[in-house]
């Protein structure tokens, strides 16, 4: 079976990718199998640049095909912040949510989108990048214990629940990550036999 490393230190992302790729006939390896993989400095200016940095580093270090995502929340009233700085906006998820709700206090425009850019790399070269998004609003207060990060304050358009309240299967069918994966899978099915070769 073909295999690929998902280059993330975020266990929640690993869980979501396991679910998203379960029917794809690909064996997903996590960085747990490469405990000495060095931290990658995310000094890119875009989601795509940062995703590429992580995927390239892992494909070199692990010597197998790798992919990574860089993702985040863009809030309209904050001119797209926190964006690529979503993980660095505050030290913990709870503090990030508190800071976000503080910045949006009294603000009528609650529009936001989650963005996910996946980069696939082989032998230290980026093969392609894929962007997915999901649009919605930032709620007044956090709701739900599920998911991770900003999920309790993000309510996708067309739904009454936040990502934090949703069953994981539902989040995984409509999320920014799901939409980026769909594009990546289509690309691999159409263009690439390279992942089937023996690495
Ligand atoms: P890796 O770089 O190791 O993958 P990370 O968590 O630092 O792990 P990012 O740099 O891509 O990943 O930062 C993404 C941040 O954006 C993440 O920490 C969350 O705060 C937020 N985020 C991304 N996707 C999310 C999702 O599906 N639900 C909630 N928050 C999300």
């Amino acid at each position: 079976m073909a295999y690929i490393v998902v280059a993330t230190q975020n266990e929640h992302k690993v869980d979501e990718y396991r679910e998203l790729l379960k029917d794809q006939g690909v064996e997903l390896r996590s960085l747990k199998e490469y405990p000495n993989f060095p931290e990658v400095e995310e000094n890119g200016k875009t989601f795509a640049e940062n995703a590429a940095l992580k995927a390239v580093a892992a494909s070199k270090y692990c010597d197998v095909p790798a992919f990574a995502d860089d993702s985040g929340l863009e809030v309209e009233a904050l001119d797209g912040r926190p964006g690529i700085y979503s993980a660095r906006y505050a030290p913990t998820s709870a503090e990030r949510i508190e800071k976000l709700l503080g910045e949006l206090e009294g603000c009528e425009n609650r529009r936001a989108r989650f963005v996910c850019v996946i980069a696939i790399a082989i032998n230290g070269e980026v093969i392609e990048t894929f962007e997915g998004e999901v649009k919605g609003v930032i709620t007044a207060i956090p709701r739900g214990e599920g998911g991770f990060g900003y999920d309790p304050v993000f309510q996708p358009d067309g739904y009454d629940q936040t990502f934090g309240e949703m069953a994981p299967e539902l989040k995984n069918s409509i999320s920014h990550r799901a939409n980026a994966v769909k594009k990546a899978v289509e690309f691999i099915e159409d263009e690439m036999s390279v992942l089937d070769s023996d690495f």
Side-chain angles (χ1 to χ4, degrees):
M1 190 189 275
Y3 50 82
I4 191 160
V5 169
V6 53
T8 178
Q9 306 290 354
N10 182 330
E11 282 307 311
H12 299 284
K13 286 189 187 177
V14 177
D15 290 345
E16 291 194 359
Y17 282 114
R18 275 210 196 290
E19 177 67 22
L20 288 166
L21 295 171
K22 68 174 191 270
D23 297 326
Q24 296 305 324
V26 64
E27 188 186 322
L28 194 63
R29 293 188 174 182
S30 82
L31 290 178
K32 274 198 176 143
E33 293 172 56
Y34 303 89
N36 297 321
F37 179 70
E39 195 177 328
V40 178
E41 200 190 339
E42 293 182 38
N43 53 14
K45 291 192 177 60
T46 61
F47 289 112
E49 281 175 23
N50 283 334
L53 287 168
K54 293 183 264 191
V56 163
S59 75
K60 281 191 203 156
Y61 184 88
C62 309
D63 209 20
V64 294
F67 74 94
D69 89 39
D70 201 57
S71 46
L73 184 67
E74 291 185 344
V75 179
E76 220 173 78
L78 303 179
D79 297 323
R81 283 190 301 111
I84 63 166
Y85 300 104
S86 293
R88 293 165 270 182
Y89 183 55
T92 65
S93 284
E95 287 166 295
R96 285 171 213 149
I97 285 178
E98 202 186 320
K99 181 171 171 186
L100 179 66
L101 294 181
E103 283 209 76
L104 288 179
E105 211 174 298
C107 188
E108 271 180 30
N109 179 4
R110 314 289 295 189
R111 302 283 315 152
R113 67 171 193 149
F114 267 128
V115 183
C116 172
V117 176
I118 292 175
I120 302 178
I122 298 180
N123 292 330
E125 302 265 353
V126 175
I127 302 298
E128 193 57 84
T129 59
F130 308 91
E131 178 168 327
E133 66 163 10
V134 57
K135 293 182 178 169
V137 291
I138 303 300
T139 54
I141 54 165
R143 300 198 320 252
E145 306 281 314
F148 69 100
Y150 299 89
D151 280 348
V153 290
F154 183 82
Q155 182 175 315
D157 290 346
Y159 296 85
D160 296 331
Q161 294 175 304
T162 66
F163 271 173
E165 293 173 305
M166 276 182 185
E169 298 75 32
L170 183 53
K171 179 189 172 190
N172 274 332
S173 67
I174 60 170
S175 77
H176 48 317
R177 195 158 287 107
N179 292 327
V181 163
K182 277 176 209 149
K183 291 184 187 172
V185 167
E186 272 165 30
F187 171 83
I188 287 167
E189 283 171 351
D190 290 351
E191 313 260 338
M192 291 188 65
S193 54
V194 63
L195 285 177
D196 290 330
S197 49
D198 289 326
F199 281 90

